[in-house]
Amino acid sequence: MTEKFNSGNQRINRLDYFSDRENGSRPRVEENISPSAWGGIVAIVQSLGRSGAFGIKYPDMCPDGAGTVGTDEKTLSLVLRAEIPALEWPLKTTTESQDGFSYYQEPFAPATFVILDFIEFFYRSVGKPIQQDFHKFFQHHHLSFDKQAGQDEFRTSINRIFSRNGIVYNLSATGQVERLAPPVLREVLSNALFASGDGTLDRMFEEARQKYLSPDLRIRQEALERLWDGWERF
């Protein structure tokens, strides 16, 4: 993916929209994932499921045993519900509300931490499906997978939704969701290296840095406590 910088020294790429190129990216300050953003994330996962992309980990096998032909959604859903018990399945993007005697659908999103766990789950489970030989009798292709390409494409799609909706999270290349620091601190914290000569002190400051970037508010509070411990040692 080609990259360049705009006049505000913000990194942009060919997948950005006109408004991003013209005005710069939206500030990443939203802590909660909105129903509309959740709907986009669900659409990405459902599209990948139909393509067979999760067959790399949850394969639907050819009846002849000749290879993977898609995603075994039942197995995937059983594991998903066991690992993320708070997530409703089938996935829900609306909820029914009542106004007098009439019912209507309202946009819905689960708790943000549930969504972030959901994203990490599917990052670990995705691969780019590659069609191989065509099985004429069953009218399907057998699939192989490029795991890295699938994860890269999934990460790009998720981070575009985060960026376009001003959401403060980012899916990293390790598959972990990270909380972005405020812009004034982001570069400093990302490039921070501690070399005081005191290994224990350096570890304290590094722990504080990592905790501060956590999506969990409680862990970010622990970062301040760890930082204070470090200053006391210093």
Side-chain angles (χ1 to χ4, degrees), residues 10 26-29 168 180-189 212:
Q10 294 171 304
R26 180 175 172 179
R28 305 281 288 274
V29 296
V168 76
L180 296 176
V184 69
L185 295 176
R186 192 170 300 163
E187 186 172 351
V188 173
L189 287 176
Y212 183 76

Side-chain angles (χ1 to χ4, degrees), residues 6 8 11 26 45 51 54 70 102 106 109 126 129 139 179 181 225:
N6 63 16
R11 184 179 283 110
R26 180 175 172 179
V45 168
S51 77
F54 305 119
S102 62
E106 282 191 315
V126 72
Q139 294 292 299
R179 178 179 179 272
E225 296 170 4

Side-chain angles (χ1 to χ4, degrees), residues 14 21 151:
R14 63 184 181 183
R21 299 191 299 273
Q151 289 179 332

Side-chain angles (χ1 to χ4, degrees), residues 10-29:
Q10 294 171 304
R11 184 179 283 110
I12 59 176
N13 58 59
R14 63 184 181 183
L15 296 178
D16 285 330
Y17 285 86
F18 174 82
S19 59
D20 296 323
R21 299 191 299 273
E22 189 75 6
N23 302 319
S25 299
R26 180 175 172 179
R28 305 281 288 274
V29 296

Side-chain angles (χ1 to χ4, degrees), residues 174-196:
T174 65
Q176 292 184 323
V177 175
E178 298 173 341
R179 178 179 179 272
L180 296 176
V184 69
L185 295 176
R186 192 170 300 163
E187 186 172 351
V188 173
L189 287 176
S190 297
N191 299 323
L193 293 173
F194 305 106
S196 67

